[in-house]
Amino acid sequence: MTDYPPFDPERARAIIDGLAVREGATLPILHALQEAFGCVPEAAEPLVAEALNLSRAEVHGVVTFYHDFRRAPPGRHVVKLCRAEACQARGGDVLAAEVERGLGTPINSTSPDGRVTFEAVYCLGLCASGPALMLDGKLFGRVAPGEGAARVVEACAS
């Protein structure tokens, strides 16, 4: 993944102003802020609210409702493991435990050294090919416990 710059209100305002004219601009703005800073900092919420004539609570509600928005930048590697029923039925629980052990990072957290963020998601669209995961934006299906978990851990070692 990328090293992200610290939050800069002026840069955030430029991003917001560039997208505020779009219809339904809230999500595009939040995605653009996250792309720029690695997360949607709490300090950005009032800027978005003001630009879109929304309350801070409305913006905060959107940020906290969607699990894809982060409050802190992710690790260098991001592992998203499907925890939906189809993947669980194909060994997802065992895979989750093995990846957690191998990474030394509990699911839904970032390692203290910033090497990896390990997240649960509830569908990657590979239900017939489970268990599935996404590693740094690339989808993988039929990730078997054992060898599959070891490959994920190895890929995140750098």
Side-chain angles (χ1 to χ4, degrees):
M1 302 300 318
T2 308
D3 285 329
Y4 295 96
F7 178 69
D8 174 6
E10 293 308 313
R11 184 167 179 218
R13 278 190 190 90
I15 291 167
I16 294 165
D17 291 345
L19 295 169
V21 296
R22 292 180 62 176
E23 189 172 332
T26 307
L27 289 175
I29 287 171
L30 295 174
H31 281 290
L33 290 169
Q34 182 158 290
E35 187 175 317
F37 303 110
C39 62
V40 179
E42 197 168 332
E45 289 180 10
L47 303 176
V48 175
E50 181 181 341
L52 300 180
N53 196 28
L54 299 171
S55 70
R56 286 178 167 183
E58 288 173 302
V59 175
H60 181 76
V62 173
V63 172
T64 57
F65 177 79
Y66 290 103
H67 298 284
D68 228 24
F69 293 124
R70 294 186 175 89
R71 285 299 194 187
R76 288 186 304 278
H77 299 284
V78 177
V79 177
K80 295 183 179 194
L81 181 66
C82 182
R83 303 297 293 137
E85 291 82 0
C87 285
Q88 285 184 35
R90 294 175 170 257
D93 289 338
V94 173
L95 179 63
E98 288 181 4
V99 172
E100 255 185 352
R101 252 189 326 275
L103 295 176
T105 302
I107 203 159
N108 294 321
S109 67
T110 298
S111 62
D113 63 2
R115 179 178 45 93
V116 65
T117 296
F118 184 29
E119 300 175 334
V121 296
Y122 290 91
C123 192
L124 291 169
L126 294 175
C127 301
S129 301
L133 63 80
M134 182 182 288
L135 173 60
D136 296 335
K138 186 175 179 184
L139 285 169
F140 295 90
R142 294 186 178 92
V143 182
E147 185 179 330
R151 286 184 183 168
V152 170
V153 171
E154 182 181 319
C156 293
S158 60

